[in-house]
Amino acid sequence: MMLVANIQVAETPLVLYVLRRADDALILGHRLSEWCGHAPMLEEDMALSNIALDLIGQARELYTYAAKAEGKDNDEDKLAYLRDIRQYRNLLLVEQPNGDFAQTLVRQFFYSAFADLYWRAMMASRDTTLAAIAAKSEKESAYHLRHASEWIIRLGDGTDESHRRAQAAIDHLWAFTGEMFAVDDGERALIHAGVAIDPGVLRGRWLQMLSDVVSEATLTLPQNDWMHQGGRAGRHSEHLGHLLSELQSMQRTFPGQTW
């Protein structure tokens, strides 16, 4: 079997910024695709698969732009399939295992509430490509958020068992949410240049959105302020390694395949 070497990426602030968002979308899209054929009902099987396709579509556009911004011989396929685990910069939240249905929907709820606010704000980016990607992605994230919110209410205000599982998922995943609002020096420079938006300014609205839905669901948000960090810097949980071994297996085994 032919061994394919990991690619190297020139991580300028812009390239790194775009890769982080692309990796979020790709990894979460792959996680949701794992539900295909296993969701609790046919309608939900289709819904989760469609959300996964939306996210992978976002990843494709972002990887293509990252490759263009880098200006080397990398393309969307190489960026998605031929980087080492430490080169991935996705949020730790999105790589967490699906767990039960409640954990999958809580993970989606936390991420989509942020993504909807983020993409809406990014429509004003001075980078015209990112602004265009944001305009398309926001329409999709609005649906993703609505879908997840309805399920959180349904699970929380349902049976004792569904309530227990939803609350357990919230308690478990909460500590992975703080990373969404962290920025480093390179990203701060892009914010000052009007290319990126400061995610910190979204936190208040994000918390309010979560609080409204969780309250209606008769659930509660944790008060713990301690948060996991590391995904944006390439430090991941063991779960991402297992995910990538599956995600990259075809391209590693049969180099040169395309989407």
Side-chain angles (χ1 to χ4, degrees), residues 67 120 161 189 192 222 228 249:
R120 198 179 310 161
E161 180 67 8
H192 290 159
H228 291 285
S249 61

Side-chain angles (χ1 to χ4, degrees), residues 21 114 117-118 178-183 187-188 191 197-207:
R21 275 68 199 174
F114 170 79
L117 292 169
Y118 170 80
E179 194 176 26
M180 294 188 289
F181 304 97
V183 298
E187 189 164 325
R188 182 66 63 187
I191 292 170
I197 57 101
D198 185 351
V201 303
L202 306 177
R203 186 173 178 84
R205 282 180 288 167
W206 178 81
L207 278 172

Side-chain angles (χ1 to χ4, degrees), residues 211-223:
S211 297
D212 291 346
V213 173
V214 166
S215 177
E216 186 174 351
T218 69
L219 299 164
T220 57
L221 292 176
Q223 299 302 309

